[in-house]
Each structure stands twice: as structure tokens, then as C-alpha cells.
Amino acid sequence: MKAPRLLQIARDDPAAIRAELLAGLVLPVATVSPKYLYDALGSRLFSAITELPEYYPTRTEAGIFARHIADMAKALAPVGTLVDLGAGNCEKAARLLAPLRVRRYVAVDISSDYLRQSLELLQWQHPAIDMLGIGLDFSRSLRLPAEAGEGSRTLFYPGSSIGNFTPPDALAFLRQARAECHGGALLIGVDLVKPAAILEPAYDDPLGVTAAFNRNMLLHLNRLAGTDFDIGDWRHVAFFNAAASRIEMHLEALRETTVRWDGGARVFAAGERVHTENSCKWRVGDFADLLQQAGFSRLRRWTDDQGWFAVYAGWAE
Ligand code: AVI
């Protein structure tokens, strides 16, 4: 059986990660990048979130793909190389391989170890497709290695992960994505603005899975930065900031608490917060403008009946 190739691009060293985290913790409003939500348990908790009735994005996006795949294929197929950004279990891209007549599949995620199992299964199911897994933290810089292929590429970025960038960072990311398309296309999922009554339970579910996902970040920080957060001192807070058009997630100190690490400490007053994630919600026209500013043209858009989520295609010609 053909085995998929795996490649790991150098990761930041532990000292640099620790320095970045501690620099964020001593800011006037302590801030930690949402990528630190995803240790092994965090990734499992996120996967559980996608099963919650309140978390509409995953199933709404899946519904859009199921309903419009023939039209998408008409616009995009055949795809020489499909580059799946944040591939995880490769489940979403797996549904595109046959309809888009993909010849090469490149799965990119923070660690090539995460990709091994899912890619092996996918390779067994699609022996004719050349497969490569790349371990790369593309949130910092989306620079794909030459092994990703020199010809035109279709970049696939589903799940509205673009929403976890601020708008200026999203634009910078999309510009890099355009360069990496080598004249090909981008297929991207985007969560749209909707009433707070729908948005907020999606990020603060009654079962407490999202709260566990957020609070688990503190355990991850304790391991990475040597801090001594006691998760019992912190509660999950999520709300829609309408002015900034984003859900914000924070961790709020339940009582005054001192967090210590080797060489430093910070006292958090009761009610003080650590900002852990933004999840921007876009208006269809604004996201189309962003894609155009990034250099994509001939835009196509597919949505669900309620207009909750959109999938865009744009070409990098
Ligand atoms: C991965 N990302 C698109 C999710 C989101 O909806 O912003 C992460 C998440 N945070 C809380 N729930 C889900």
C-alpha cells in the first residue's frame, strides 16, 4: 500500500513559546493566542463542540457543501493540488476529493503527527491520489515548502477559522494564501453576522463543553509557560461584541488570584480577564471586499437558507 509522505517544518522552540505567552500575560489586558486552546485535550473538546446542537457552524457549512458540491465542482474541478489548511482528521477535504477530481492532496496542520493516521486511511481509500502531510504553524506565516507542489493549487480553508484572525490579520493571511495559490483558487468557509441570541449559546453552551475548552487553555499554559493557574479560580465568559462584530472569549478571575512563574507573577483582581479568542462574524459584502483586497477575483459564494454561513471561492489569477 502506498504510504503518504509526512514533513515537519521547524516549530518554535519552547523558550520562544514561553516568552511569547508570558509577554501576553503581563499586558494590561492579559491576552493569549487562541492557538493555545489546542493541546491534545483541547482538540478533542473542540471536536465535541462541533457536535453540540448550539454550535451551528460545522453542520451549517457541511450542509452547504452537501447541497452545492456539484456547482462547486463545475467551478473548480479538476483540481491539480488541493491544500487543506488546518486539516485535522481530513474529514472535510475527504468529501471533496472525488467531486473536485483532486490529483494531489496536501494536508497541513500544526503537527504532522496529528495527520499520520487520518492520511493513511485516506490514502488507502484513494490510492490514485498523491498525498502529503505537512506539519506547519501557518497562523504565523503561510509559506508552504516546495514539496507542496510547484503548479497551481486550490487552497481549502473551511470552518471559519479565518474568523479567529482580526480583520487586518485576516487580510494579511489571505494575501499570503493568494501567493500560495500559484494562480489557482481559494475555497473558504466564513461565519456570518446573526443575532446574539444564536451566536452566544454557540460559544457558551449549557453543557459547559466550550467552558471546558476555554478553561483547559490554562492547564496548557501551565505546561508551556510554567505558570501555576488554578482552573478553579477562573470562569468562562463569551459574548458578542456587536461593535467589533465578533464573539469574544475570556477567562475571568472569580476572586483575587496571583499567578506565578519562574521569574515573575501577576495579581489578577476579582473580575479581571484573560482574553483567549476572537471569532469574527462577517457580512457577506465585507468578506467579498476583503477577498478582493487580497487579490482574489471572479468570486463565487454559496450559503445556507438562513444566511448563517458562507463558502466562497476566489481565483488568484
Ligand atoms: C476554530 N474556530 C473557527 C472556532 C470558532 O468558532 O471560532 C473555535 C471555537 N471557539 C469556541 N468554540 C469554537
Side-chain angles (χ1 to χ4, degrees), residues 130 168 211 298:
D130 184 30
R298 290 204 285 129

Side-chain angles (χ1 to χ4, degrees), residues 38 46 49 55 159-161 164 203 210 213 249 277 279:
Y38 302 90
F46 175 64
I49 287 173
Y55 192 76
S160 197
S161 294
N164 298 132
Y203 290 83
T210 311
F213 172 65
M249 290 209 318
E277 188 182 62
S279 190

Side-chain angles (χ1 to χ4, degrees), residues 186-207:
L186 171 72
L187 186 62
I188 184 166
V190 185
D191 197 14
L192 302 176
V193 178
K194 58 187 68 60
I198 296 158
L199 285 168
E200 287 179 344
Y203 290 83
D204 195 3
D205 55 284
L207 206 53

Side-chain angles (χ1 to χ4, degrees), residues 25 29-32 210-212 214-219 221-222 227-237 249-261 266-276:
L25 284 180
V29 176
T31 305
V32 181
T210 311
N214 197 11
R215 294 169 74 227
N216 174 63
M217 184 197 251
L218 298 179
L219 299 179
L221 295 191
N222 285 348
T227 46
D228 67 349
F229 280 101
D230 178 343
I231 55 162
D233 290 338
W234 298 86
R235 76 176 187 107
H236 166 67
V237 174
M249 290 209 318
H250 300 258
L251 289 160
E252 185 178 283
L254 289 167
R255 53 194 76 84
E256 184 183 292
T257 173
T258 302
V259 177
R260 297 185 173 79
W261 57 87
R266 174 166 183 168
V267 180
F268 289 89
E272 208 175 339
R273 291 173 178 172
V274 180
H275 191 168
T276 53

Side-chain angles (χ1 to χ4, degrees), residues 107-142:
V108 184
D109 212 317
I110 192 143
S111 156
S112 62
D113 294 339
Y114 295 162
L115 296 169
R116 184 184 307 275
Q117 238 188 342
S118 15
L119 265 185
E120 278 173 2
L121 177 65
L122 211 55
Q123 182 73 85
W124 180 75
Q125 292 165 332
H126 299 270
I129 301 179
D130 184 30
M131 295 197 184
L132 169 69
I134 301 179
L136 168 72
D137 178 5
F138 60 85
S139 68
R140 210 177 280 284
S141 157
L142 178 56

